[in-house]
Amino acid sequence: MPSAKYTRKWLWRWRSNPLRRHDDIVESWIVLAVWAVFAVGGVVAGLVTAHAADEVFAQQRAERQPVRAVLLDNVPRAGPAIGTTTDRRATAVRWTTSDGSTRTGRTLVDAGLKAGSKVTVWQDGHGRLTSAPPDPTEAAIESGFLGATAAAALGGLVFAGGAIARHLLDRRRIDEWGREWALVGPRWGHKTS
């Protein structure tokens, strides 16, 4: 039964043993705490981050509104730039806000359009140009990614803290071993012949 043997080996720090040191008990509690914080804290951090991001995206969808705007300049079609995936250019547009005032600003539009063309732009609650809010699918994917990143970051910090604590315990054990060897070692130094 290999699994029972592995379990006994894994739990050696918890068993009564005359060779067990106080540092071994401290290390076992550190390992247990690290795994508990990793499991529970990672899930909580991931869920809280994903929920917060989802709320931000929902708020953006609620307050950003599409508006029809008129291009003020021609948007030349240029050759594809290296590293770009879309052919969009920044240009000046004019639009009317919900309170009836006319505004101008710069935004990204598709290349190749002529001045006077009508395009759809997005404005925030204050009438300023902004980017389009993510749709629910994009928001869910990004929220999930942010939650997973938060959980991984917390896990990395927890494991790093546990590794530092275990390293300090190892140094302490080595120092204790050196002190004990300094007491016992000279007695072993005599020659037998």
Side-chain angles (χ1 to χ4, degrees):
M1 206 184 241
S3 63
K5 187 183 278 188
Y6 176 76
T7 303
R8 273 185 264 135
K9 182 179 179 183
W10 188 71
L11 295 174
W12 72 270
R13 289 181 180 95
W14 297 98
R15 292 191 320 243
S16 179
N17 183 338
L19 298 177
R20 182 180 65 189
R21 300 165 290 204
H22 175 70
D23 290 346
D24 295 332
I25 296 169
V26 171
E27 182 179 16
S28 66
W29 281 107
I30 289 172
V31 169
L32 181 66
V34 164
W35 279 103
V37 170
F38 171 71
V40 175
V43 169
V44 170
L47 289 175
V48 166
T49 302
H51 181 68
D54 199 36
E55 284 183 355
V56 168
F57 296 139
Q59 180 182 0
Q60 288 177 354
R61 283 191 301 274
E63 72 179 26
R64 293 181 183 180
Q65 301 299 321
V67 185
R68 295 296 287 172
V70 177
L71 289 177
L72 299 179
D73 301 319
N74 290 334
V75 185
R77 184 175 298 277
I82 296 174
T84 62
T85 58
T86 61
D87 194 18
R88 294 176 61 87
R89 305 283 185 254
T91 190
V93 295
R94 181 179 59 238
W95 74 99
T96 303
T97 64
S98 58
D99 64 2
S101 63
T102 302
R103 295 196 181 182
T104 58
R106 294 186 66 80
T107 189
L108 289 175
V109 297
D110 293 330
L113 297 175
K114 303 286 183 200
S117 300
K118 294 196 183 287
V119 294
T120 300
V121 296
W122 289 84
Q123 69 177 358
D124 62 13
H126 302 289
R128 296 180 299 236
L129 287 178
T130 186
S131 61
D135 64 26
T137 304
E138 290 173 343
I141 291 170
E142 193 165 345
S143 296
F145 177 74
L146 291 171
T149 302
L154 179 70
L157 289 173
V158 168
F159 280 123
I164 290 170
R166 291 181 72 191
H167 175 72
L168 294 173
L169 280 174
D170 285 342
R171 286 188 60 195
R172 181 175 156 176
R173 284 188 280 235
I174 289 171
D175 290 344
E176 286 178 12
W177 184 81
R179 285 191 296 274
E180 290 174 10
W181 183 253
L183 295 173
V184 175
R187 288 190 263 169
W188 288 28
H190 64 20
K191 296 192 179 201
T192 56
S193 58

